[in-house]
Amino acid sequence: MLRPGGADLTIAGGVREFGRATPDAIAVRDGDRALTYAALDERSSRVACALLSLGLTTGDRVALLSGNRLEYPEIAAGIAKAGLVLVPVNPRLTAPEVEFILGHSGARVLITDGSADFAVRVIRIGPEYEKFLDDARAVDPWIPVDERDPFCIAYTAGTTGDPKGVLISHRSRSLTFYATALEWGIGPGRRTVAVAPMYHGAGFAFAYAAVHCGATVSMLRSFQPDALIDLLARDGAQSVFLVPTHAQLIRQHFSEIPDLPLLDTLYFNAAALPKVLKEWVFEAFPGVGVHELYGSTEAGVVTNLRPPDARRKAGTVGHPWFGTQVRIVDSAGREVGPGEPGELYSRSPYLMNGYHENPAATAACTTDDGFLTSGDIVVRDEEGFISIVDRVKDVIITGGVNVYPRDVEEVLLAHPSVTECAVVGEPDDRWGERVVAYLVSPGPVVPDVLEAYLRDRLAGFKIPKQYRAVPALPRNAAGKILKRELRSTQ
């Protein structure tokens, strides 16, 4: 009797398959440079053989410190072909922060497009990297890996203390890529753009999905609104993944978006898309399907709000994604009903394996039956649509009453004098915490005007006690506002 089976899922699988199925199709574009699938398959095999020639063995870690560029997908695929583990590193980190990640992950090699030296073997993208590949065999080593083993260790920005390394399996990301192809049409003949940085979980997932599923991805080296629109037009991209900050900057730059006849899909992640900004997206990109998804590095994609409901259910993040179960519970662990706030847990094939060398942190965010906390408070309505209320850690308790910052932020963002905002709680001797609003505004901030506006729309205890004008809000690589940095300035 035959037993069902087959090769384990690996993130190198798509490169291998389309290197044979569509060898002449363009896999990656980067300015005037381009790689066909045949070239991507061959060069990633050279990366694998070159790394193995250094004495690396299955499970060893290889760090990649680079911005979005043509070499990123071939290095990631080559590391996977060699049975090694990728450690993506943010080029904006300081040298001590990079050294921590290299040491904590146990990386033995660093491939970089930078010039700094570190206490590991360093290979620099450019002539040195090209010679490294030229001297290697162009043969796929086919090192076997278990699909549940990690393909990467992705380091999150630590809210307190050092960052944690998220172990993400080949199976998790391969299934994410296939679901992405199903949801947003990332497949053969389709074109997309890598806008978000690939060293971040979502940026990697939605850019690399293209080469895993036979599409073409164009690299945007650094984000500028006009550069993105020009690239979408030049390469005829049909879909693109953005974060709300990108939309905000595009809105500020363009009075009218140039015609993009081939663009049919936009999908947003990283932070809630404010209703005012989302309405602008509908108007600026008429006829384009707008998705809003929610997830994390640890959980992958958890929910998706699809175009048919995008306007009707603006302010929600939709229903659970393919193969995902959610559980919403109160502080005692009891499941809550529709309309009641609770903490969101999810269970799916996209979940992380855990935190690298940190079992205590892993145990703290998971349940015995395999659910992972999001750390977010949500509400589910009668139709099953989920709305993010706020981060558990960001809820403000003032005078014993809970204030959810997003409630205040949504109203502030509807005022014409507010471009961006972040509401936080700060210590207060009388109330425990006071509500404080940080504002980015094109002109002077007039507290009395804002307070009068808010009092018609919010309960008195939600009104900020202070308004602070800032030139910009601090954000991480994913575009999420770093509220801890705002609190730490006081």
Side-chain angles (χ1 to χ4, degrees):
M1 177 177 176
L2 289 176
R3 176 178 154 186
D8 280 336
L9 293 170
T10 163
I11 71 149
V15 173
R16 286 167 166 152
E17 292 153 12
F18 289 101
R20 289 152 181 75
T22 57
D24 297 326
I26 299 298
V28 187
R29 292 188 188 277
D30 181 1
D32 295 332
R33 301 190 299 161
L35 275 184
T36 64
Y37 270 96
L40 175 57
D41 190 26
E42 178 189 323
R43 284 174 64 86
S44 60
S45 291
R46 287 184 181 275
V47 170
C49 290
L51 290 170
L52 293 172
S53 73
L54 299 179
L56 301 182
T57 58
T58 302
D60 281 346
R61 271 75 75 187
V62 177
L64 175 54
L65 190 157
S66 170
N68 289 0
R69 58 184 303 139
L70 178 142
E71 290 84 1
Y72 215 108
E74 71 187 24
I75 293 170
I79 289 171
K81 285 182 175 183
L84 307 173
V85 179
L86 169 69
V87 181
V89 184
N90 181 349
R92 298 170 60 189
L93 296 180
T94 64
E97 290 172 317
V98 174
E99 289 284 13
F100 170 81
I101 290 173
L102 296 177
H104 187 266
S105 67
R108 294 182 56 191
V109 175
L110 169 66
I111 302 175
T112 179
D113 60 2
S115 58
D117 288 316
F118 297 96
V120 295
R121 167 72 186 266
V122 176
I123 299 161
R124 303 187 196 286
I125 296 174
E128 179 186 348
Y129 171 79
E130 293 301 326
K131 186 176 187 309
F132 186 59
L133 267 59
D134 288 344
D135 292 343
R137 298 169 65 221
V139 177
D140 190 333
W142 282 95
I143 302 298
V145 295
D146 188 298
E147 64 184 35
R148 294 181 184 271
D149 284 344
F151 91 87
C152 88
I153 307 175
Y155 279 81
T156 62
T159 53
T160 56
D162 293 319
K164 297 189 286 289
V166 182
L167 296 162
I168 303 173
S169 71
H170 285 273
R171 179 174 184 264
S172 161
R173 277 300 173 264
S174 295
L175 292 175
T176 298
F177 301 149
Y178 291 136
T180 295
L182 178 61
E183 188 74 75
W184 299 298
I186 309 296
R190 294 277 290 182
R191 296 174 296 279
T192 188
V193 176
V195 179
M198 289 187 70
Y199 53 77
H200 185 267
F204 181 89
F206 300 130
Y208 194 90
V211 300
H212 194 79
C213 298
T216 300
V217 60
S218 296
M219 295 290 162
L220 186 67
R221 291 287 187 105
S222 63
F223 180 80
Q224 295 295 334
D226 52 348
L228 171 60
I229 298 301
D230 288 348
L231 188 56
L232 290 172
R234 188 197 77 178
D235 290 357
Q238 294 135 318
S239 67
V240 64
F241 163 67
L242 301 172
V243 303
T245 304
H246 294 144
Q248 187 67 260
L249 293 171
I250 295 169
R251 181 186 185 186
Q252 293 170 17
H253 187 87
F254 289 98
S255 57
E256 184 177 345
I257 302 297
D259 189 33
L260 298 169
L262 297 178
L263 184 68
D264 58 36
T265 304
L266 290 172
Y267 42 114
F268 289 89
N269 182 227
L273 193 61
K275 292 178 183 177
V276 172
L277 183 58
K278 191 168 189 177
E279 191 60 37
W280 174 84
V281 170
F282 292 142
E283 295 172 1
F285 297 91
V288 174
V290 178
H291 294 252
E292 188 170 358
L293 51 140
Y294 162 80
S296 67
T297 303
E298 290 89 342
V301 179
V302 176
T303 70
N304 180 31
L305 178 63
R306 298 178 170 97
D309 299 303
R311 260 198 163 103
R312 183 176 73 89
K313 289 293 184 176
T316 80
V317 290
H319 291 102
W321 211 38
F322 304 115
T324 300
Q325 295 175 273
V326 301
R327 179 186 292 165
I328 303 171
V329 303
D330 62 18
S331 58
R334 295 184 292 263
E335 291 204 42
V336 300
E340 297 180 67
E343 188 169 350
L344 176 68
Y345 286 75
S346 67
R347 182 169 64 183
S348 76
Y350 319 115
L351 298 188
M352 68 172 181
N353 287 6
Y355 291 115
H356 179 57
E357 295 186 349
N358 197 338
T362 303
C365 67
T366 53
T367 65
D368 292 340
D369 57 349
F371 279 80
L372 172 75
T373 180
S374 64
D376 286 323
I377 296 171
V378 307
V379 171
R380 180 163 44 193
D381 69 15
E382 294 285 354
E383 296 178 74
F385 288 86
I386 293 170
S387 299
I388 309 303
V389 176
D390 239 308
R391 297 289 293 165
V392 170
K393 65 186 178 186
D394 288 337
V395 174
I396 302 165
I397 304 175
T398 179
V401 180
N402 287 359
V403 173
Y404 298 111
R406 192 180 174 194
D407 289 347
V408 186
E409 290 162 356
E410 285 282 357
V411 179
L412 278 169
L413 286 167
H415 193 276
S417 71
V418 178
T419 303
E420 294 183 283
C421 69
V423 172
V424 303
E426 294 181 359
D428 185 277
D429 291 340
R430 180 178 181 184
W431 301 106
E433 286 186 295
R434 62 180 177 274
V435 181
V436 178
Y438 287 82
L439 308 172
V440 178
S441 176
V445 172
V446 184
D448 290 347
V449 172
L450 288 175
E451 183 162 336
Y453 177 79
L454 292 177
R455 285 199 178 279
D456 289 338
R457 295 162 175 82
L458 291 173
F461 65 88
K462 297 181 180 181
I463 306 297
K465 298 293 189 291
Q466 288 178 285
Y467 301 88
R468 298 191 179 125
V470 293
L473 297 172
R475 297 179 184 274
N476 65 12
K480 293 183 180 180
I481 296 171
L482 300 174
K483 290 189 175 182
R484 66 181 183 276
E485 293 193 9
L486 294 173
R487 298 188 195 97
S488 68
T489 62
Q490 301 306 308

